[in-house]
Amino acid sequence: MKQTVRTFVAALAACVACAVWAAEKPATEGAELGKWTMDAPAATALAKETGKPIFIHFTGSDWCGWCKLMDRRVFSQKGWQDYAAKELVLLWVDFPRDKSLVPEKFVQQNKDLAAKHGVEGYPTYVILDPDGKEIGRLGASGEGTLESFLDEVRDVLLLKDIEKLLSAEDLAAYRAAEKEKAAVEGRLEALQKRFMEEAKAMQERFQKEAEPIGKEYEAAQKKLDALMDKARAAAKK
């Protein structure tokens, strides 16, 4: 009996949790600070009206494991909701397997937004200033917490005010470090591209040289199979 009561209570709690999450589904019309919306034009208008940045959540809500992890660990938490209600316009850009989750009128909008911001994986979080200029982007982390993610968001938002926060000397050093980082990233990308091209060439060479060897292997296997058939037949006599 006690186990039945516990099971019932657990099921009830799960239902309540689901109901709370369902109540926080993205709006399909209009935008409100701290509330998810699929309506990109409304989000853009609200950002300009309030001077608040837009936080775009590119997600595969019903299949992406990392997306679900972040929804549970960060976006469903009161700390996030309290912060976002004061500081962010939240835009939900979803690419679910269940197509009923996204109204038809937003399907092309979402594709265009992903293409515009070069989004290829989920989740990706792109932060825009009130004028629509990208100031930073974030991803999911297996070790991340609500507070660590909020710190990352705050750091990105500092970038739009960096010229006001640093002295001329420090700002110059910051810009120099940005260029240095960009140069290093460029070298890494070039190295990766070169190795990928070399790997592709090696794979093609392997396939070409392995083909005749593979045929020899198949011929040898056929001989073995034929002899095994003879052995099986002899064993039955």
Side-chain angles (χ1 to χ4, degrees):
M1 181 64 178
K2 289 182 179 179
Q3 184 62 37
T4 302
V5 171
R6 290 196 194 100
T7 302
F8 174 77
V9 171
L12 181 60
C15 289
V16 170
C18 289
V20 170
W21 181 248
E24 296 173 355
K25 286 183 178 179
T28 55
E29 286 188 20
E32 180 182 346
L33 280 179
K35 300 292 184 181
W36 294 110
T37 183
M38 297 185 188
D39 190 342
T44 300
L46 180 61
K48 290 182 178 179
E49 176 189 337
T50 61
K52 299 298 184 181
I54 302 175
F55 181 96
I56 310 179
H57 183 353
F58 289 92
T59 181
S61 64
D62 65 345
W63 61 268
C64 170
W66 285 105
C67 303
K68 292 180 179 182
L69 175 67
M70 291 295 288
D71 289 344
R72 183 176 68 253
R73 185 177 289 176
V74 175
F75 303 126
S76 64
Q77 300 300 313
K78 186 176 183 300
W80 167 264
Q81 293 161 2
D82 289 345
Y83 174 79
K86 298 176 182 177
E87 303 296 339
L88 299 173
V89 176
L90 302 178
L91 180 58
W92 183 273
V93 180
D94 199 2
F95 298 87
R97 288 179 179 157
D98 180 357
K99 303 308 178 184
S100 68
L101 294 176
V102 177
E104 182 63 30
K105 63 180 179 179
F106 295 128
V107 173
Q108 189 59 49
Q109 166 200 274
N110 290 358
K111 291 179 181 178
D112 292 343
L113 284 168
K116 178 180 179 180
H117 295 287
V119 173
E120 298 179 349
Y122 312 110
T124 297
Y125 310 111
V126 177
I127 303 177
L128 312 179
D129 70 14
D131 294 322
K133 178 183 177 182
E134 182 174 331
I135 54 177
R137 61 178 58 201
L138 302 170
S141 170
E143 304 299 322
T145 64
L146 168 63
E147 285 305 320
S148 67
F149 190 76
L150 284 174
D151 286 343
E152 290 183 56
V153 172
R154 293 185 185 106
D155 284 347
V156 169
L157 295 180
L158 279 177
L159 293 177
K160 65 183 178 67
D161 296 322
I162 197 75
E163 294 181 1
K164 301 175 185 177
L165 298 171
L166 294 180
S167 66
E169 181 181 356
D170 287 339
L171 182 61
Y174 182 87
R175 297 303 185 203
E178 276 187 323
K179 291 181 180 179
E180 181 180 352
K181 178 184 175 183
V184 172
E185 287 176 343
R187 286 162 50 202
L188 285 173
E189 289 174 2
L191 182 64
Q192 181 184 37
K193 182 180 179 181
R194 178 166 67 84
F195 274 99
M196 288 180 69
E197 290 173 348
E198 290 178 2
K200 181 180 178 181
M202 287 291 292
Q203 179 66 21
E204 291 173 351
R205 180 182 171 188
F206 170 79
Q207 290 176 343
K208 183 178 180 180
E209 296 186 13
E211 185 175 356
I213 299 174
K215 290 180 179 179
E216 292 179 21
Y217 175 87
E218 290 175 0
Q221 186 63 53
K222 285 182 180 178
K223 291 178 182 178
L224 287 172
D225 290 343
L227 291 169
M228 282 297 295
D229 287 341
K230 289 184 178 180
R232 291 188 189 101
K236 291 179 181 180
K237 292 179 180 180

Short mmCIF file of all heavy atoms in Angstrom, two decimals, residues 91-117:
data_model
loop_
_atom_site.label_atom_id
_atom_site.label_comp_id
_atom_site.label_asym_id
_atom_site.label_seq_id
_atom_site.Cartn_x
_atom_site.Cartn_y
_atom_site.Cartn_z
N LEU A 91 14.08 34.49 -27.90
CA LEU A 91 13.55 34.01 -29.18
C LEU A 91 13.84 32.52 -29.34
O LEU A 91 15.00 32.10 -29.29
CB LEU A 91 14.17 34.80 -30.34
CG LEU A 91 13.72 34.41 -31.75
CD1 LEU A 91 12.20 34.54 -31.90
CD2 LEU A 91 14.44 35.26 -32.79
N TRP A 92 12.80 31.75 -29.54
CA TRP A 92 12.87 30.28 -29.62
C TRP A 92 12.83 29.87 -31.09
O TRP A 92 11.82 30.06 -31.77
CB TRP A 92 11.69 29.69 -28.87
CG TRP A 92 11.60 28.21 -28.77
CD1 TRP A 92 11.01 27.36 -29.66
CD2 TRP A 92 12.04 27.39 -27.69
NE1 TRP A 92 11.07 26.07 -29.21
CE2 TRP A 92 11.70 26.06 -27.99
CE3 TRP A 92 12.70 27.67 -26.48
CZ2 TRP A 92 11.99 25.00 -27.14
CZ3 TRP A 92 12.99 26.60 -25.64
CH2 TRP A 92 12.65 25.29 -25.97
N VAL A 93 13.94 29.32 -31.60
CA VAL A 93 14.02 28.91 -33.00
C VAL A 93 14.21 27.39 -33.03
O VAL A 93 15.30 26.88 -32.78
CB VAL A 93 15.18 29.63 -33.72
CG1 VAL A 93 15.26 29.19 -35.18
CG2 VAL A 93 14.99 31.14 -33.63
N ASP A 94 13.14 26.68 -33.33
CA ASP A 94 13.09 25.23 -33.13
C ASP A 94 13.12 24.47 -34.46
O ASP A 94 12.51 24.89 -35.45
CB ASP A 94 11.80 24.89 -32.36
CG ASP A 94 11.85 23.52 -31.72
OD1 ASP A 94 12.90 22.84 -31.83
OD2 ASP A 94 10.85 23.12 -31.10
N PHE A 95 13.82 23.33 -34.43
CA PHE A 95 13.88 22.42 -35.58
C PHE A 95 13.55 21.01 -35.08
O PHE A 95 14.41 20.13 -35.05
CB PHE A 95 15.26 22.46 -36.23
CG PHE A 95 15.62 23.82 -36.77
CD1 PHE A 95 16.22 24.77 -35.95
CD2 PHE A 95 15.33 24.15 -38.08
CE1 PHE A 95 16.53 26.03 -36.44
CE2 PHE A 95 15.65 25.41 -38.58
CZ PHE A 95 16.24 26.35 -37.76
N PRO A 96 12.30 20.79 -34.68
CA PRO A 96 11.90 19.51 -34.08
C PRO A 96 11.60 18.45 -35.13
O PRO A 96 11.37 18.75 -36.31
CB PRO A 96 10.63 19.88 -33.31
CG PRO A 96 10.01 20.95 -34.17
CD PRO A 96 11.18 21.74 -34.72
N ARG A 97 11.57 17.20 -34.70
CA ARG A 97 11.11 16.13 -35.58
C ARG A 97 9.59 16.15 -35.70
O ARG A 97 9.05 15.85 -36.75
CB ARG A 97 11.60 14.79 -35.02
CG ARG A 97 13.11 14.60 -35.20
CD ARG A 97 13.61 13.31 -34.63
NE ARG A 97 15.05 13.16 -34.86
CZ ARG A 97 15.85 12.39 -34.14
NH1 ARG A 97 15.35 11.70 -33.13
NH2 ARG A 97 17.14 12.30 -34.42
N ASP A 98 8.95 16.48 -34.59
CA ASP A 98 7.50 16.63 -34.61
C ASP A 98 7.16 18.00 -35.19
O ASP A 98 7.25 19.01 -34.51
CB ASP A 98 6.94 16.50 -33.18
CG ASP A 98 5.43 16.64 -33.12
OD1 ASP A 98 4.80 16.90 -34.18
OD2 ASP A 98 4.86 16.51 -32.02
N LYS A 99 6.81 18.04 -36.45
CA LYS A 99 6.60 19.30 -37.15
C LYS A 99 5.44 20.11 -36.60
O LYS A 99 5.35 21.32 -36.84
CB LYS A 99 6.38 19.04 -38.65
CG LYS A 99 7.52 18.27 -39.31
CD LYS A 99 8.89 18.92 -39.05
CE LYS A 99 10.01 18.11 -39.67
NZ LYS A 99 11.34 18.66 -39.34
N SER A 100 4.56 19.47 -35.83
CA SER A 100 3.42 20.21 -35.27
C SER A 100 3.86 21.18 -34.18
O SER A 100 3.08 22.04 -33.77
CB SER A 100 2.38 19.23 -34.70
OG SER A 100 2.89 18.56 -33.55
N LEU A 101 5.10 21.06 -33.71
CA LEU A 101 5.58 21.94 -32.64
C LEU A 101 5.89 23.35 -33.13
O LEU A 101 6.02 24.27 -32.33
CB LEU A 101 6.82 21.33 -31.98
CG LEU A 101 6.62 20.02 -31.22
CD1 LEU A 101 7.95 19.48 -30.71
CD2 LEU A 101 5.64 20.21 -30.07
N VAL A 102 6.06 23.49 -34.43
CA VAL A 102 6.36 24.81 -35.00
C VAL A 102 5.30 25.17 -36.04
O VAL A 102 5.17 24.47 -37.04
CB VAL A 102 7.76 24.83 -35.66
CG1 VAL A 102 8.03 26.19 -36.32
CG2 VAL A 102 8.84 24.51 -34.64
N PRO A 103 4.54 26.23 -35.83
CA PRO A 103 3.55 26.66 -36.82
C PRO A 103 4.20 26.89 -38.19
O PRO A 103 5.35 27.33 -38.27
CB PRO A 103 3.02 27.98 -36.24
CG PRO A 103 3.23 27.84 -34.77
CD PRO A 103 4.52 27.09 -34.62
N GLU A 104 3.47 26.58 -39.22
CA GLU A 104 3.99 26.67 -40.58
C GLU A 104 4.59 28.05 -40.89
O GLU A 104 5.59 28.16 -41.59
CB GLU A 104 2.87 26.36 -41.58
CG GLU A 104 3.30 26.38 -43.04
CD GLU A 104 4.34 25.31 -43.36
OE1 GLU A 104 4.33 24.25 -42.70
OE2 GLU A 104 5.16 25.56 -44.26
N LYS A 105 3.98 29.10 -40.34
CA LYS A 105 4.44 30.45 -40.65
C LYS A 105 5.85 30.74 -40.14
O LYS A 105 6.47 31.73 -40.56
CB LYS A 105 3.48 31.49 -40.09
CG LYS A 105 3.36 31.49 -38.57
CD LYS A 105 2.37 32.54 -38.11
CE LYS A 105 2.20 32.56 -36.59
NZ LYS A 105 1.25 33.61 -36.16
N PHE A 106 6.36 29.88 -39.22
CA PHE A 106 7.70 30.11 -38.67
C PHE A 106 8.76 29.19 -39.26
O PHE A 106 9.94 29.34 -38.96
CB PHE A 106 7.70 29.95 -37.16
CG PHE A 106 6.87 30.97 -36.44
CD1 PHE A 106 5.91 30.58 -35.53
CD2 PHE A 106 7.03 32.32 -36.68
CE1 PHE A 106 5.13 31.52 -34.85
CE2 PHE A 106 6.27 33.27 -36.02
CZ PHE A 106 5.31 32.86 -35.10
N VAL A 107 8.36 28.22 -40.08
CA VAL A 107 9.31 27.24 -40.60
C VAL A 107 10.39 27.91 -41.44
O VAL A 107 11.59 27.71 -41.22
CB VAL A 107 8.58 26.16 -41.42
CG1 VAL A 107 9.60 25.24 -42.12
CG2 VAL A 107 7.67 25.33 -40.52
N GLN A 108 10.00 28.73 -42.42
CA GLN A 108 10.98 29.39 -43.26
C GLN A 108 11.76 30.44 -42.48
O GLN A 108 12.96 30.63 -42.68
CB GLN A 108 10.29 30.05 -44.47
CG GLN A 108 11.28 30.57 -45.52
CD GLN A 108 12.19 29.49 -46.06
OE1 GLN A 108 11.73 28.41 -46.46
NE2 GLN A 108 13.50 29.74 -46.07
N GLN A 109 11.07 31.14 -41.58
CA GLN A 109 11.74 32.12 -40.72
C GLN A 109 12.90 31.47 -39.98
O GLN A 109 14.01 32.02 -39.92
CB GLN A 109 10.75 32.70 -39.71
CG GLN A 109 11.42 33.48 -38.57
CD GLN A 109 10.54 33.64 -37.34
OE1 GLN A 109 9.75 34.57 -37.28
NE2 GLN A 109 10.68 32.75 -36.36
N ASN A 110 12.66 30.29 -39.40
CA ASN A 110 13.69 29.60 -38.63
C ASN A 110 14.86 29.18 -39.51
O ASN A 110 16.03 29.28 -39.11
CB ASN A 110 13.09 28.40 -37.90
CG ASN A 110 12.15 28.81 -36.78
OD1 ASN A 110 11.98 30.01 -36.52
ND2 ASN A 110 11.54 27.85 -36.12
N LYS A 111 14.55 28.68 -40.71
CA LYS A 111 15.62 28.31 -41.63
C LYS A 111 16.47 29.52 -42.00
O LYS A 111 17.70 29.44 -42.06
CB LYS A 111 15.02 27.69 -42.90
CG LYS A 111 14.38 26.33 -42.68
CD LYS A 111 13.79 25.80 -43.99
CE LYS A 111 13.13 24.45 -43.79
NZ LYS A 111 12.50 23.94 -45.04
N ASP A 112 15.80 30.64 -42.25
CA ASP A 112 16.53 31.87 -42.61
C ASP A 112 17.42 32.35 -41.47
O ASP A 112 18.55 32.80 -41.70
CB ASP A 112 15.53 32.96 -42.99
CG ASP A 112 14.80 32.66 -44.30
OD1 ASP A 112 15.27 31.80 -45.05
OD2 ASP A 112 13.75 33.29 -44.55
N LEU A 113 16.91 32.26 -40.24
CA LEU A 113 17.70 32.70 -39.09
C LEU A 113 18.93 31.81 -38.89
O LEU A 113 20.03 32.30 -38.60
CB LEU A 113 16.84 32.68 -37.82
CG LEU A 113 15.84 33.83 -37.68
CD1 LEU A 113 14.85 33.54 -36.55
CD2 LEU A 113 16.55 35.15 -37.42
N ALA A 114 18.74 30.50 -39.06
CA ALA A 114 19.87 29.58 -38.92
C ALA A 114 20.93 29.86 -39.98
O ALA A 114 22.13 29.86 -39.70
CB ALA A 114 19.39 28.14 -39.00
N ALA A 115 20.48 30.11 -41.21
CA ALA A 115 21.42 30.41 -42.30
C ALA A 115 22.13 31.74 -42.06
O ALA A 115 23.34 31.86 -42.25
CB ALA A 115 20.67 30.43 -43.63
N LYS A 116 21.39 32.73 -41.63
CA LYS A 116 21.96 34.06 -41.38
C LYS A 116 23.06 34.02 -40.34
O LYS A 116 24.10 34.69 -40.48
CB LYS A 116 20.85 35.01 -40.93
CG LYS A 116 21.34 36.42 -40.60
CD LYS A 116 20.19 37.31 -40.15
CE LYS A 116 20.69 38.71 -39.80
NZ LYS A 116 19.57 39.59 -39.35
N HIS A 117 22.86 33.23 -39.29
CA HIS A 117 23.82 33.18 -38.19
C HIS A 117 24.78 32.00 -38.29
O HIS A 117 25.57 31.77 -37.36
CB HIS A 117 23.08 33.17 -36.86
CG HIS A 117 22.31 34.43 -36.58
ND1 HIS A 117 22.92 35.61 -36.26
CD2 HIS A 117 20.98 34.70 -36.63
CE1 HIS A 117 22.01 36.55 -36.10
NE2 HIS A 117 20.83 36.03 -36.32
#
